[in-house]
Amino acid sequence: RARPPSPCRAPGGAVRARLGGGLARGGSAPTPSRRAARFLVPGRVRGARRRTFGSLTSRNYRLVFAGELVSYIGSWMQTMAEAWLVLQLTHSGVAVGATFAFRFLPVLLFGLWGGTVADRFDRRKVLIVTQSLAAALAVAMWLIALTGVVQVWMVFGLAIALGLVTVVDEPARHAFAEEMVGPELLPNAVALTS
């Protein structure tokens, strides 16, 4: 196969590139070479999009994904609010670190049992219960902060309670994703929710 010719001078002294045939006799714009056209093919973009967001083809998974997105945002806002509240109450970085430790220690200690609970019961019902409990804990945090009766031990207790809810919630979420998208799209669904 012959290589495309290198740039050459046009009759007026201007340099023109000859890509895959160069300028037509009528003076039309140059056409892209096969090599350049390969990157412009919409099918490649669609294929990459399908691989990246393939699990979103399921309507039920799209609904759950949108709900999880809101839930994760709320959960992290609550985590930061807890840390900020502890910092305002104690002015101690150690106490802030303890708040995070109390929040994630139950996952470390009881994570395996949480997966067992998620496998033994209906995952949809487990998620409804865990999300309801997480919402109740967020309301409790809001109420104690709003009324001004908040103390550090209360924040620590709520952090532990939310950690215990997370122990069951996370495995149930990931297992529930498989029920909606099937085993072939499960890695994509788990990656999107992580």
Side-chain angles (χ1 to χ4, degrees):
R1 213 156 130 154
R3 297 172 120 179
S6 61
C8 61
R9 295 230 173 242
V15 176
R16 66 182 170 97
R18 297 193 59 182
L19 298 172
L23 294 175
R25 293 202 189 270
S28 63
T31 59
S33 69
R34 288 182 183 171
R35 179 185 233 178
R38 188 175 73 201
F39 295 107
L40 301 175
V41 176
R44 289 183 180 264
V45 173
R46 274 184 260 141
R49 187 175 31 199
R50 196 175 311 120
R51 283 188 306 274
T52 305
F53 301 108
S55 57
L56 292 176
T57 57
S58 166
R59 179 184 180 274
N60 288 337
Y61 183 74
R62 281 193 310 268
L63 293 172
V64 169
F65 180 77
E68 284 181 353
L69 184 64
V70 171
S71 177
Y72 278 130
I73 290 170
S75 178
W76 280 106
M77 285 173 63
Q78 183 175 352
T79 300
M80 293 299 110
E82 287 173 353
W84 183 261
L85 186 58
V86 168
L87 184 64
Q88 293 298 313
L89 291 172
T90 64
H91 303 289
S92 168
V94 173
V96 172
T99 306
F100 285 107
F102 287 137
R103 175 80 181 266
F104 297 107
L105 189 64
V107 175
L108 180 68
L109 297 177
F110 306 116
L112 293 175
W113 289 289
T116 303
V117 170
D119 286 340
R120 293 198 183 209
F121 298 101
D122 180 33
R123 292 176 183 124
R124 183 176 172 271
K125 291 179 182 175
V126 168
L127 285 172
I128 289 171
V129 169
T130 57
Q131 289 298 298
S132 299
L133 288 171
L137 292 169
V139 168
M141 175 67 74
W142 172 70
L143 284 174
I144 64 170
L146 182 70
T147 58
V149 298
V150 65
Q151 294 180 9
V152 178
W153 66 268
M154 293 176 183
V155 180
F156 288 164
L158 287 171
I160 290 171
L162 193 56
L164 289 170
V165 169
T166 304
V167 164
V168 178
D169 185 66
E170 286 297 321
R173 279 187 201 209
H174 292 302
F176 191 58
E178 185 203 2
E179 292 179 6
M180 288 181 287
V181 298
E184 66 279 349
L185 291 174
L186 180 63
N188 179 258
V190 171
L192 283 176
T193 57
S194 291

